[in-house]
Amino acid sequence: MTSLLSFTPSTPSLHLPTFSNVRQHHHLSPTTLLISYPHPLPRVQILYRASHALPRPSLSASALRAAADGLLQDAGATAFVLAGAYGLVLCFDNLTQRNLLQQSLSRKLVHILSGLLFMLSWPIFSTSTAARYFASVVPLVNCLRLLLHGLSIVTNEGLVKSVTREGNPKELLRGPLYYVLILILCALVFWRESPVGVVSLAMMCGGDGVADIMGRKFGSIKIPYNQKKSWAGSISMFLFGFLISIGMLYYYSFLGYFQLNWVETVEKVALISLVATIVESLPITDVLDDNISVPLVSMAAAYLSFSL
């Protein structure tokens, strides 16, 4: 608020006596000061701004708009990815029911593509802290779906044929359920902030998935310590796990999420692939499912490699 203040100065003007003044007024001492006031006195006007309390800071409209935009983006991305995941499984369901695709091949293609496409979709989510939770809704819905069908609360023969080995609904509560739980774990814990989750999912989805396909087709020569595994499958596990991991890391590096030294990264991923391949080849499948052992060992190896 601006106000106008007026006043008339009362400061006197000072005149020192000159030599002639002293002669005319000889009764005054030389140190006498003659004080006179000029007439008329000037009128002075001063503008001043009245002080007032500053307003308290509040959340800006732009910040609220950005939060709302992020929420809408994450909700839209979740719906899009969920529809894509459902469409992928439905597609392989139909191919299996029409006998256009073998059940074992259909199951492994779903195994490979579901996780990799889910991981490829992460960049379409916003940069908010809630984005990873929205993304986790996709495997969570699939987790609930597996539970419903695995417990025979809901029946879906096409889903069972495309996902299980022997067509038994209870199989949904083992490998497929572990698979979606690992997807949730990697999204919540590692997200787009660490190469650990990316490499772990690449080894589980790509490496282990391709190993089964190649092992069934070219796996005549078995590994000496495990007759259920073949050299063709283990070599494919190593090669495809390595290549898919490097491809995923390059994808996220290109988008600006990771800053990597590629010479060291290639060495680290090769070591992780070797460790995961050895674990996958061990005769422990009846005790510990590959969808648990492979990603967890890959996580541990990747964490140690990228932390050093």
Side-chain angles (χ1 to χ4, degrees):
M1 178 178 180
T2 302
S3 301
L4 183 64
L5 178 65
S6 302
F7 69 93
T8 302
S10 59
T11 305
S13 60
L14 304 180
H15 298 276
L16 295 176
T18 61
F19 179 72
S20 59
N21 296 135
V22 174
R23 291 185 62 185
Q24 294 175 5
H25 306 278
H26 53 82
H27 60 281
L28 298 175
S29 64
T31 60
T32 303
L33 295 176
L34 298 180
I35 302 175
S36 63
Y37 292 87
H39 299 283
L41 294 175
R43 185 176 183 83
V44 180
Q45 294 181 341
I46 299 177
L47 287 174
Y48 76 100
R49 184 176 297 277
S51 61
H52 54 83
L54 295 175
R56 294 182 179 180
S58 59
L59 189 62
S60 64
S62 59
L64 290 173
R65 190 180 305 111
D69 291 343
L71 186 64
L72 290 175
Q73 180 181 347
D74 290 334
T78 301
F80 175 77
V81 178
L82 191 59
Y86 180 78
L88 179 69
V89 175
L90 182 63
C91 175
F92 284 102
D93 286 351
N94 291 330
L95 291 175
T96 303
Q97 288 178 355
R98 295 178 182 180
N99 295 320
L100 298 176
L101 198 64
Q102 293 180 355
Q103 179 180 340
S104 60
L105 181 58
S106 171
R107 178 178 58 84
K108 276 303 170 182
L109 289 176
V110 171
H111 176 101
I112 294 169
L113 295 175
S114 295
L116 295 182
L117 291 175
F118 174 61
M119 188 163 44
L120 285 171
S121 72
W122 289 355
I124 70 175
F125 289 85
S126 74
T127 56
S128 70
T129 55
R132 68 181 69 197
Y133 301 103
F134 275 92
S136 300
V137 170
V138 177
L140 179 61
V141 169
N142 286 325
C143 179
L144 297 176
R145 187 184 181 200
L146 292 173
L147 288 173
L148 291 174
H149 290 85
L151 296 173
S152 297
I153 299 175
V154 179
T155 58
N156 187 330
E157 185 178 351
L159 173 65
V160 174
K161 284 185 177 181
S162 65
V163 177
T164 62
R165 293 176 182 269
E166 300 175 356
N168 187 348
K170 292 184 179 180
E171 290 185 54
L172 298 174
L173 302 178
R174 296 195 291 271
L177 181 62
Y178 304 149
Y179 181 91
V180 295
L181 290 176
I182 291 296
L183 294 182
I184 295 172
L185 176 65
C186 287
L188 291 178
V189 177
F190 301 108
W191 193 222
R192 302 170 299 203
E193 300 168 356
S194 171
V196 174
V198 172
V199 173
S200 301
L201 291 184
M203 294 303 303
M204 180 184 73
C205 303
D208 183 48
V210 175
D212 186 79
I213 295 174
M214 300 301 288
R216 289 176 183 274
K217 190 171 183 63
F218 305 103
S220 57
I221 304 177
K222 303 298 182 180
I223 296 177
Y225 54 85
N226 188 358
Q227 292 299 305
K228 293 182 179 180
K229 303 287 183 177
S230 66
W231 283 108
S234 293
I235 293 172
S236 300
M237 168 81 179
F238 176 82
L239 289 177
F240 283 91
F242 172 80
L243 293 175
I244 293 174
S245 295
I246 291 294
M248 284 295 181
L249 290 176
Y250 181 80
Y251 170 69
Y252 278 96
S253 178
F254 178 78
L255 294 177
Y257 292 101
F258 301 148
Q259 299 295 327
L260 301 172
N261 181 321
W262 283 105
V263 175
E264 294 181 357
T265 298
V266 168
E267 295 174 352
K268 292 175 181 179
V269 173
L271 177 60
I272 297 166
S273 299
L274 179 61
V275 172
T277 299
I278 293 173
V279 171
E280 193 270 344
S281 70
L282 296 176
I284 58 173
T285 306
D286 295 335
V287 179
L288 190 62
D289 193 275
D290 287 344
N291 287 340
I292 296 179
S293 61
V294 171
L296 291 184
V297 168
S298 300
M299 260 180 231
Y303 180 80
L304 293 175
S305 298
F306 286 98
S307 297
L308 298 178

